[in-house]
Amino acid sequence: QVQLVESGGGLVPAGGSLRLSCASSGRAFSSYTMGWFRQAPGKEREFVAFISQSGGTTYYADSVKERFTISSDNAKNTVYLQMNSLKPGDTAVYYCAAKTAWGISQRSSNYDYWGQGTQVTVSS
């Protein structure tokens, strides 16, 4: 069983920055692909970014590329999402997720464990 706890959300003006954290209780954290997803009101959950088990591969949705950075600290069992140049369109609940099977994926259905989410609101 893996528990994920996100933190770091909040209200920020357009152009501002936030760093989200996701702490995992899983003993095999370094063997998971970790992803960030988001869901805005009235919209489906969408992929934001993932980082591979080795940390050597990262991938971003086009909408956040060059603005968001995903990273992980295996010693702390924590994955981060640094969000810069935030836009009102980034407003959503952000979820981290763990994919325990080998391989990388953008599909939410391939992730086995999910956090409770943290709200990010960007004001115009």
Side-chain angles (χ1 to χ4, degrees):
Q1 187 73 13
V2 176
Q3 291 186 329
L4 303 174
V5 180
E6 301 101 332
S7 60
L11 173 65
V12 62
S17 298
L18 282 174
R19 188 176 81 154
L20 306 183
S21 300
C22 173
S24 170
S25 65
R27 294 182 178 181
F29 176 81
S30 62
S31 67
Y32 304 156
T33 288
M34 298 298 297
W36 284 98
F37 295 79
R38 66 186 183 186
Q39 187 167 18
K43 295 187 177 181
E44 294 187 353
R45 189 171 298 188
E46 65 174 0
F47 166 77
V48 175
F50 68 65
I51 186 165
S52 66
Q53 286 93 337
S54 66
T57 300
T58 58
Y59 189 77
Y60 300 89
D62 287 343
S63 59
V64 307
K65 204 171 292 184
E66 305 298 333
R67 298 188 298 122
F68 291 9
T69 302
I70 188 171
S71 62
S72 65
D73 185 337
N74 290 342
K76 296 183 178 180
N77 281 11
T78 300
V79 63
Y80 304 97
L81 186 68
Q82 177 67 44
M83 306 186 295
N84 299 328
S85 302
L86 283 161
K87 305 174 182 179
D90 295 318
T91 295
V93 177
Y94 283 71
Y95 299 89
C96 74
K99 181 180 181 297
T100 58
W102 184 259
I104 54 180
S105 176
Q106 302 173 55
R107 293 189 174 186
S108 59
S109 59
N110 287 338
Y111 286 76
D112 307 292
Y113 298 98
W114 293 81
Q116 81 289 348
T118 185
Q119 177 71 47
V120 171
T121 303
V122 184
S123 61
S124 57

